[in-house]
Amino acid sequence: MKLPIPKLKKSGLRWADGAVVYQIYPRSFQDSNGDGIGDIPGIISRLDYLKELGVSALWLSPFYPSPMADFGYDVADYHGVDPMFGTLDDFKELLQKAHALDIKIIIDIVPNHSSDEHQWFIESSKSRDNEYSDWYVWKDPLGFEGGFPVPPNNWLDLFAGKSAWEWVEARQQFYLHTFHVRQPDLNWHNPQVRKAMLDMLRYWLEMGVDGFRVDAVPFMGKDPEYRDEPANPHYVNGRDNPYHSLQHIYSGYTDEHYTYLGMMADVLKERAFRGRKRFMITEGYTERIDPVSEYLRYYKSMDPEVAAPFIFEGIQLPWEPHVWHDFLGEFHKTLEEFSPKALASYAFGNHDQWRLVTRIGEERARSAAVLKLTLPGVIFVYYGEELGMHNVEIPKDKVQDPGAAGDIQYGQGRDPERTPMQWSADEHAGFSDGKDTWLPLSPDYKEHNVAGEEAKPNSSLNLYRRLVNLRQSEPTLTHGNFRMHSSKGHPLMAYSRNFGKESMLVLINFSDKPTTYGLSNSGHILVSSLNLPTQPEPVQGTIPLQAHEALVIRIDK
Ligand SMILES: [Ca+2]
């Protein structure tokens, strides 16, 4: 009997359903000119690797002209490319070559702040009455103590944990910097700023980019009264960044930023860009009080057809079955009820967070790869995650990250998760043929690299390739719904993805002991996190799982 072919949920506007987005931190992916810093021509030279891995899209962390006070997240010109990374023509070539391989490109948008070297800020700093004077957040001092101006409130900067206000003599006023002192916050209350930022999105869409990742969104809207923030009772002095001594309820996370995000998402829907698919993902860490509701608020503020917030549970939840069981069950039920268009968007690592393997260990990270690549929606792979790259210890004199100032415990900031990609056992891991690299390489790169892992059938890289390929080729994984099957409290989590009459079952053993699962029908194992079968293995009845093993099983029809 011929089974009916399941109907695909077609979306005219977006490419992100089931997509695998690979995040490139341009400084650390591939150096093409021997200066020890990765660049855009380097990325172009590695497109074949990315095609082989099977990714749908690349997200590039910022490549804009920048004094690099925060390695590019301090943008001095939203419309160009820093010479360190190449030229605008290099970027256009990357777009064209990636598109020829059917790989989309999304770029990083930094709307909350610019560099202090941006022309807007240079002008804005000069006086209180010029064209750009109201483009940043300027405030009068509360008064003067001992001749020194007193900041307008108690807000803190996230990098150094000191006052977020910096005095400018020429204006006799403070400007606000939620991040580094060289990253002044833009004034989104000003319609001219909003227009400039939305026009900037149009500029890149017209060039051909396929969407955006939007940085640090909760801070775009500030309390209009600029009230003092209350103390955080959970703060531990001497352990935590002093920034966390306050509850950030006025410096960010206000109602306004949702409105601004809605405006940004609407640009993607404009008539001029119809006919090309696109998507936008926003970076807003939840306050962890009620994550599902907090995420839903983002879904409600942007058209879910073209935008979604990052879901950071892959970074923030401990690797424990009951928390994952609860979150996935509740979140996907809520999302389905809200809108069939709403798309989940999972990251398990990025340039600001400890690497997955370092957080949960190698065996668990392989199970987490099975989880990630079988979840609904769009998922992200941080460069090197597919190799099982781990955090690298950075000697004190080599630390680069300005955020290290607030990293009381380790003093290394985010450098350990930003070290150069490990391509081969050659000098500098094939990342650069220069004298030195901007951050040191992992000491284990000779054992752990792309060339070596390609040759090992059960390597992390080959597990990722198998899983990415499965996700891209199975409509069940691309478009299927999500149903939790296991019961709370069991060390094994079981869920299925279902599409028409097809069903894929995923089993994840969170325990360091073997366990079993009773299958009511028969099926075929397509992937095990421990051992990649050369062909589907038939199973029925009681299925044994090794410690930390995860399985993907196609249920027989
Ligand atoms: Ca370079």
Side-chain angles (χ1 to χ4, degrees):
M1 187 187 84
K2 210 173 168 191
L3 287 166
I5 297 165
K7 260 193 183 165
L8 289 184
K9 258 194 289 178
K10 283 228 164 132
S11 166
L13 289 184
R14 69 185 185 206
W15 48 262
D17 298 68
V20 177
V21 182
Y22 189 91
Q23 182 190 354
I24 290 179
Y25 193 67
R27 293 183 78 84
S28 290
F29 196 60
Q30 178 67 55
D31 175 22
S32 72
N33 61 353
D35 65 357
I37 298 169
D39 43 55
I40 292 174
I43 298 170
I44 293 172
S45 74
R46 294 296 187 179
L47 282 174
D48 288 345
Y49 168 76
L50 297 161
K51 184 66 190 168
E52 178 79 26
L53 183 56
V55 303
S56 338
L58 308 179
W59 152 28
L60 270 56
S61 286
F63 48 71
Y64 310 102
S66 168
M68 302 289 164
D70 185 21
F71 296 116
Y73 282 94
D74 48 325
V75 179
D77 172 7
Y78 286 102
H79 300 86
V81 171
D82 195 279
M84 183 183 284
F85 296 127
T87 64
L88 200 55
D89 282 341
D90 290 332
F91 179 72
K92 288 176 181 169
E93 185 185 337
L94 171 63
L95 264 181
Q96 184 256 322
K97 289 192 167 159
H99 286 168
L101 295 170
D102 201 21
I103 296 174
K104 310 283 187 204
I105 300 276
I106 65 175
I107 60 171
D108 215 314
I109 298 295
V110 190
N112 180 66
H113 45 263
S114 74
S115 161
D116 62 347
E117 290 187 22
H118 196 293
Q119 204 56 38
W120 299 339
F121 187 74
I122 293 170
E123 293 302 318
S124 192
S125 303
K126 285 179 181 167
S127 69
R128 298 187 187 202
D129 54 0
N130 65 67
E131 195 185 340
Y132 296 97
S133 56
D134 192 33
W135 280 50
Y136 293 83
V137 180
W138 294 98
K139 292 284 163 207
D140 291 332
L142 280 186
F144 289 85
E145 277 175 14
F148 292 101
V150 180
N153 64 26
N154 70 348
W155 295 2
L156 296 171
D157 112 359
L158 201 143
F159 277 174
K162 295 176 181 164
S163 174
W165 298 95
E166 185 73 7
W167 181 251
V168 171
E169 282 294 330
R171 284 186 62 134
Q172 290 290 297
Q173 278 185 314
F174 287 97
Y175 70 84
L176 178 69
H177 58 94
T178 302
F179 293 84
H180 195 273
V181 65
R182 300 197 57 192
Q183 291 169 300
D185 282 44
L186 281 154
N187 177 17
W188 273 77
H189 293 148
N190 180 343
Q192 288 174 298
V193 169
R194 297 202 292 269
K195 181 176 186 308
M197 297 309 271
L198 300 182
D199 282 348
M200 181 262 289
L201 300 184
R202 295 179 181 110
Y203 164 85
W204 289 107
L205 285 168
E206 276 161 18
M207 196 179 294
V209 306
D210 305 288
F212 308 109
R213 174 267 184 191
V214 188
D215 182 66
V217 301
F219 305 101
M220 290 165 72
K222 279 92 176 165
D223 174 39
E225 295 172 47
Y226 291 83
R227 282 170 279 189
D228 273 350
E229 293 189 316
N232 172 12
H234 306 295
Y235 169 69
V236 178
N237 192 12
R239 183 196 71 182
D240 303 335
N241 180 342
Y243 174 75
H244 299 298
S245 63
L246 299 179
Q247 296 178 55
H248 305 292
I249 57 172
Y250 296 130
S251 60
Y253 295 93
T254 64
D255 291 345
E256 287 171 315
H257 83 279
Y258 300 103
T259 309
Y260 302 147
L261 291 177
M263 293 175 184
M264 293 177 83
D266 284 349
V267 171
L268 280 79
K269 289 164 51 190
E270 287 175 0
R271 184 174 292 274
F273 312 117
R274 286 188 193 164
R276 280 211 347 261
K277 296 190 176 192
R278 58 264 182 201
F279 203 67
M280 176 177 115
I281 301 104
T282 58
E283 183 208 28
Y285 287 87
T286 64
E287 295 173 281
R288 315 299 306 153
I289 299 158
D290 180 1
V292 172
S293 305
E294 290 175 61
Y295 289 132
L296 193 61
R297 181 99 196 256
Y298 282 110
Y299 282 104
K300 286 179 174 170
S301 54
M302 307 180 284
D303 186 336
E305 181 93 29
V306 292
F310 266 121
I311 306 304
F312 284 125
E313 264 45 33
I315 289 167
Q316 294 180 307
L317 289 186
W319 187 247
E320 291 169 11
H322 64 281
V323 288
W324 275 99
H325 180 278
D326 283 0
F327 176 76
L328 291 175
E330 190 194 345
F331 176 65
H332 284 288
K333 187 168 170 288
T334 307
L335 211 56
E336 268 183 35
E337 284 168 4
F338 164 60
S339 165
K341 288 180 185 171
L343 200 68
S345 167
Y346 285 102
F348 281 59
N350 62 41
H351 60 293
D352 290 333
Q353 304 292 340
W354 280 27
R355 283 188 175 272
L356 181 61
V357 164
T358 306
R359 279 187 281 119
I360 65 175
E362 269 180 42
E363 282 175 312
R364 293 181 182 88
R366 292 176 68 110
S367 296
V370 172
L371 169 65
K372 174 171 62 179
L373 283 148
T374 56
L375 284 172
V378 49
I379 66 102
F380 288 75
V381 175
Y382 182 49
Y383 83 94
E385 203 167 88
E386 73 278 23
L387 303 177
M389 268 175 71
H390 52 75
N391 279 21
V392 176
E393 184 93 24
I394 310 294
K396 266 214 162 75
D397 62 333
K398 302 257 188 207
V399 170
Q400 305 274 346
D401 181 17
D407 182 4
I408 309 290
Q409 282 196 63
Y410 304 99
Q412 299 176 48
R414 301 161 294 177
D415 288 349
E417 61 261 23
R418 295 177 173 180
T419 57
M421 178 71 171
Q422 294 158 210
W423 293 104
S424 69
D426 299 340
E427 194 178 6
H428 304 318
F431 162 73
S432 171
D433 55 12
K435 277 202 187 101
D436 206 357
T437 56
W438 81 283
L439 278 177
L441 277 145
S442 171
D444 77 349
Y445 81 80
K446 290 200 170 155
E447 294 82 53
H448 238 55
N449 56 63
V450 170
E453 291 202 19
E454 276 178 336
K456 289 180 198 147
N458 275 324
S459 65
S460 176
L461 176 58
N462 282 322
L463 173 65
Y464 267 78
R465 281 183 176 169
R466 179 75 67 90
L467 286 165
V468 173
N469 183 275
L470 194 64
R471 184 179 180 85
Q472 308 280 29
S473 59
E474 295 283 342
T476 317
L477 293 178
T478 314
H479 298 279
N481 67 17
F482 177 91
R483 292 290 175 268
M484 186 63 79
H485 294 292
S486 50
S487 51
K488 190 174 175 175
H490 200 279
L492 184 141
M493 184 167 77
Y495 57 88
S496 65
R497 302 286 314 280
N498 312 285
F499 189 64
K501 293 192 170 169
E502 305 204 11
S503 185
M504 205 78 85
L505 178 71
V506 181
L507 304 176
I508 296 175
N509 181 12
F510 281 77
S511 159
D512 55 5
K513 296 187 181 66
T515 187
T516 59
Y517 183 81
L519 192 63
S520 50
N521 23 21
S522 62
H524 285 78
I525 297 177
L526 303 182
V527 176
S528 156
S529 63
L530 300 180
N531 203 336
L532 290 175
T534 46
Q535 51 190 14
E537 285 175 16
V539 282
Q540 60 180 6
T542 304
I543 302 172
L545 285 94
Q546 300 303 304
H548 304 301
E549 187 172 23
L551 298 176
V552 185
I553 299 169
R554 187 205 305 280
I555 301 299
D556 294 340
K557 283 181 277 202

